[in-house]
Amino acid sequence: NLSTLNKYKSKIYNKIDKILMKHKSISIMKLNDKTERGGFFGGYPFTFNDVSNIDQIIEKFKKFKIDILPYPWLAHHQMNIFNKEQTKLIVTEKIINHFFMIRIPYFLNFNFKNLENCLLECKKNNLIE
């Protein structure tokens, strides 16, 4: 059933792509023509270009019942087990604060209209472009 489940999730991700692409302050993952998405278990990944109002944005997402999760991984390049010297990876470190994932419901009943309305309200309140 994994193949069937991934097909459904791929359709959901494609619809979310189209919704998020309308907003300049949100970046989505760009796929090459010959690539295919995988790793659907974590949710739909995206970044906010500006996180100065992130607390208000998160509250709007909660209001519209869209569950977004912050960057879920450790900064491995800063862990002593991997590196005794503290390496600076500027892009990686910036992504940590800008990266979020939209959780896709278990039964795949994602509410696209709620996402659209949430983003419109965020835009109306000058939280995103």
Side-chain angles (χ1 to χ4, degrees), residues 4 11-12 15 32 38 43 46-47 49 53 61 65 76 82-84 88 97-98 106 116 120 126:
T4 302
K11 287 179 183 180
I12 291 170
K15 287 181 183 180
N32 295 331
F46 70 102
T47 59
N49 300 334
N53 296 314
F61 274 77
K65 297 179 177 31
H76 290 86
F82 294 111
N83 188 359
K84 297 288 182 212
K88 293 275 186 207
N97 296 323
H98 293 252
Y106 178 77
E116 288 174 332
L120 287 174
N126 296 316

Side-chain angles (χ1 to χ4, degrees), residues 5 8 14 22-23 26 33 41 55 58 66 87 104 120:
L5 184 63
Y8 285 119
N14 290 336
K22 298 174 187 174
H23 301 277
I26 297 174
D33 292 336
F41 60 90
D55 291 336
I58 290 171
I66 303 293
T87 304
I104 306 302
L120 287 174

Side-chain angles (χ1 to χ4, degrees), residues 58-101:
I58 290 171
E59 285 305 312
K60 294 291 182 197
F61 274 77
K62 285 180 186 176
K63 175 184 172 184
F64 286 92
K65 297 179 177 31
I66 303 293
D67 193 13
I68 61 171
L69 309 167
Y71 189 85
W73 302 287
L74 299 171
H76 290 86
H77 69 285
Q78 294 178 342
M79 296 173 67
N80 285 336
I81 192 168
F82 294 111
N83 188 359
K84 297 288 182 212
E85 298 173 23
Q86 292 299 307
T87 304
K88 293 275 186 207
L89 297 177
I90 306 301
V91 174
T92 301
E93 292 167 18
K94 181 181 178 192
I95 287 173
I96 289 171
N97 296 323
H98 293 252
F99 183 95
F100 288 84
M101 297 181 84

Side-chain angles (χ1 to χ4, degrees), residues 23 25-26 48-61 118-129:
H23 301 277
S25 56
I26 297 174
F48 288 109
N49 300 334
D50 179 6
V51 290
S52 58
N53 296 314
I54 196 62
D55 291 336
Q56 292 169 286
I57 293 169
I58 290 171
E59 285 305 312
K60 294 291 182 197
F61 274 77
C118 174
L119 295 171
L120 287 174
E121 190 167 312
C122 285
K123 189 171 184 172
K124 185 175 96 173
N125 290 300
N126 296 316
L127 301 175
I128 64 169
E129 292 181 39

